[in-house]
Amino acid sequence: MRKSLVRSWHDFSRRGFLKTSVAALAGLAGWKTLAKATQQTQAQPHGMPMPGNHFHGRLPSVDPESFPKLDPRKFLSDFQTGTVSRLSSGQVVREFELIAVDREIEVAPGVFFPAWTYNGTVPGPTLRCTEGELVRVHFRNEGSMPHTIHFHGIHPAKMDGVFELVDPGNEFVYEFVAKPFGLFLYHCHTVPIKKHIHKGLYGTFIVDPKSPRQSAREFVMVLNGFDTDYDGENEFYTVNGVANYYATHPIEIQSGELIRVYLVNVTEFDQINSFHLHGNVYRLYRTGTNLGQYEITDTVMLCQGERCVLEFTYDEPGMFMFHAHQSEFAELGWMAFFKVLPKPLAERIPL
């Protein structure tokens, strides 16, 4: 039976890893060489792999089949819209089910973390509705600790997810009208909050405007981190829960295609996280609650709970990186690529 990382990698720290990496990279190249050098200078439990966070060599590949609950490829555009009914008044009722479950997850190749999850994944499912709809979230706690769900946005006090602790084996129904439109998140608000968030109880909540946004290819990206030795510092930083996944599995898009990213930061133990796009700029809509006001930039800094909507188009094909513009975060798992494909021949304008 495999051991979770919190039990088997207790001597490993991110500071030690980075210090060793800098020295090793001066004269060493490649994943295996770096891992060997690190093992020589730092206590490393037998059989534990090094995190794939350097581009001097080939990154370790992650097999999507090893993630039976969370496939990072599908998660990007897996928008859960629930089940729909109508009240006698005609108002749409949209219902979701969230279940708190304790589950070991794989945050990097061969690295396992004992998480608390919504529906078995970290992040939890992306919930999507339209402004003005009545939202009902049926929450059942099958975990080992009391939990709640706190939704960002407007709702009654009794639906705030602070006082109505749901003990293991119990249920609670959150009900509120979705407003305003924009990009929000949900997370457990049980004390100690930092532990319940760090262990994985969070997800994205999108409220669409009644008049839809411009048609685009849409992705959800949740920025998070994992303190795998519980020293108050993250050993891994990820997008959607798996370190370097979109570096080893670049996201394919088309040149000329409008891309919209719903970006949410839920990183614990660090004051900010960030998103930097290479070879391009994007329209930055803060919180997504305004369709007309935006700024043009290539880097955004977000505190925990902050979020924004990014829109951009690549004109030229090629491989373009995006990553955290904190070098430490990037080297510990938060690097990724867009693989921009040429326009189909039928769509090209003849010279």
Side-chain angles (χ1 to χ4, degrees), residues 73-301:
R73 294 176 306 182
K74 296 179 180 178
F75 187 86
L76 279 169
S77 53
D78 186 9
F79 301 101
Q80 300 292 314
T81 55
T83 59
V84 176
S85 61
R86 288 185 181 271
L87 300 176
S88 57
S89 63
Q91 183 182 27
V92 171
V93 180
R94 197 171 296 273
E95 302 191 51
F96 302 92
E97 183 179 57
L98 290 178
I99 304 172
V101 181
D102 297 357
R103 181 173 179 266
E104 189 177 64
I105 61 173
E106 190 172 11
V107 300
V111 179
F112 298 91
F113 178 75
W116 297 342
T117 76
Y118 290 122
N119 291 12
T121 67
V122 178
T126 300
L127 309 184
R128 192 165 194 171
C129 62
T130 299
E131 184 179 23
E133 294 179 341
L134 181 64
V135 174
R136 287 182 185 149
V137 179
H138 300 265
F139 175 53
R140 186 166 76 253
N141 186 1
E142 294 183 0
S144 58
M145 302 290 293
H147 296 305
T148 68
I149 307 176
H150 167 64
F151 286 88
H152 286 217
I154 299 174
H155 47 251
K158 63 182 179 180
M159 297 295 162
D160 199 36
V162 174
F163 302 110
E164 64 284 0
L165 295 181
V166 182
D167 290 320
N170 291 350
E171 302 179 357
F172 188 87
V173 178
Y174 296 91
E175 181 174 298
F176 53 90
V177 175
K179 59 183 179 181
F181 73 82
L183 174 58
F184 302 95
L185 67 151
Y186 63 89
H187 59 85
C188 184
H189 216 289
T190 303
V191 177
I193 301 171
K194 69 178 181 180
K195 182 172 184 178
H196 287 249
I197 289 180
H198 165 246
K199 291 277 279 184
L201 288 168
Y202 48 80
T204 301
F205 178 49
I206 299 173
V207 181
D208 288 318
K210 294 179 181 179
S211 296
R213 301 177 191 270
Q214 180 183 357
S215 178
R217 180 97 174 271
E218 297 187 322
F219 300 121
V220 171
M221 296 189 185
V222 180
L223 310 183
N224 56 2
F226 293 95
D227 175 15
T228 51
D229 62 3
Y230 287 89
D231 65 348
E233 295 181 342
N234 292 312
E235 277 65 57
F236 294 89
Y237 294 89
T238 83
V239 178
N240 295 340
V242 181
N244 281 327
Y245 186 87
Y246 303 115
T248 57
H249 300 75
I251 302 169
E252 293 188 357
I253 60 176
Q254 294 282 343
S255 60
E257 181 179 33
L258 177 62
I259 303 300
R260 179 176 296 124
V261 174
Y262 295 96
L263 184 68
V264 179
N265 178 32
V266 202
T267 310
E268 190 60 77
F269 306 120
D270 293 279
Q271 292 183 349
I272 57 174
N273 206 327
S274 61
F275 181 108
H276 169 57
L277 185 65
H278 278 212
N280 209 341
V281 295
Y282 46 76
R283 293 193 297 270
L284 170 65
Y285 298 86
R286 295 280 179 180
T287 316
T289 53
N290 189 305
L291 301 179
Q293 294 182 348
Y294 59 85
E295 59 183 277
I296 302 293
T297 185
D298 63 6
T299 304
V300 61
M301 311 300 286

Side-chain angles (χ1 to χ4, degrees), residues 8-9 11-13 16-25 28 30-51 54 109 111:
S8 60
W9 207 0
D11 291 327
F12 190 79
S13 72
F17 174 76
L18 287 176
K19 181 177 179 181
T20 303
S21 298
V22 171
L25 288 173
L28 299 174
W31 168 259
K32 293 182 179 179
T33 306
L34 178 60
K36 182 178 179 180
T38 306
Q39 288 176 341
Q40 292 174 349
T41 57
Q42 176 127 0
Q44 176 80 7
H46 178 70
M48 290 303 299
M50 297 295 298
H54 286 274
V111 179

